[in-house]
């Protein structure tokens, strides 16, 4: 539904919001990042409807949580690699 809406009008940012929420709901948070960022940028633009502001806060929170999860994952991987293959000095 949302993808079809974007095919017909690629400026329909609420479709981006819908796609991002569907991806997050399906456990595909990383795939939602681009759509969340496009949505947040559109909401910050002059002339964006005031009704979108509450969704902006939620989208920014979701982006922050995704970034934090990614950082945690990178740390786990780095720690694993370091214990498995210690650097020789």
């Amino acid at each position: 539904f949302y993808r079809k809406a974007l095919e017909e009008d690629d400026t329909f940012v609420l479709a981006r919001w819908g796609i991002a929420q569907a991806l997050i709901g399906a456990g595909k948070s990383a795939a939602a990042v681009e759509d969340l960022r496009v949505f947040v940028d559109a909401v910050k633009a002059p002339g964006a409807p005031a009704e979108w502001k509450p969704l902006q806060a939620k989208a920014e929170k979701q982006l922050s949580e995704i970034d934090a999860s990614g950082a945690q994952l990178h740390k786990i991987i780095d720690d694993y690699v370091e214990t498995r293959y210690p650097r020789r000095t």
Side-chain angles (χ1 to χ4, degrees), residues 1 10 13 19-20 30 43 49 54 56 73 83 89:
F1 174 74
D10 66 348
V13 295
I19 290 169
V43 173
Q56 175 190 354
L73 178 60
T83 58
T89 54

Side-chain angles (χ1 to χ4, degrees), residues 60-75:
E60 288 174 337
K61 182 178 182 214
Q62 289 172 324
L63 282 169
S64 175
E65 290 169 354
I66 292 167
D67 286 343
S69 295
Q72 289 173 344
L73 178 60
H74 283 290
K75 182 172 179 356

Side-chain angles (χ1 to χ4, degrees), residues 32-54:
V33 169
E34 180 183 347
D35 290 307
L36 286 171
R37 287 188 177 141
V38 169
F39 177 77
V40 168
D41 288 346
V43 173
K44 288 180 177 180
E51 297 84 20
W52 293 1
K53 289 295 180 188

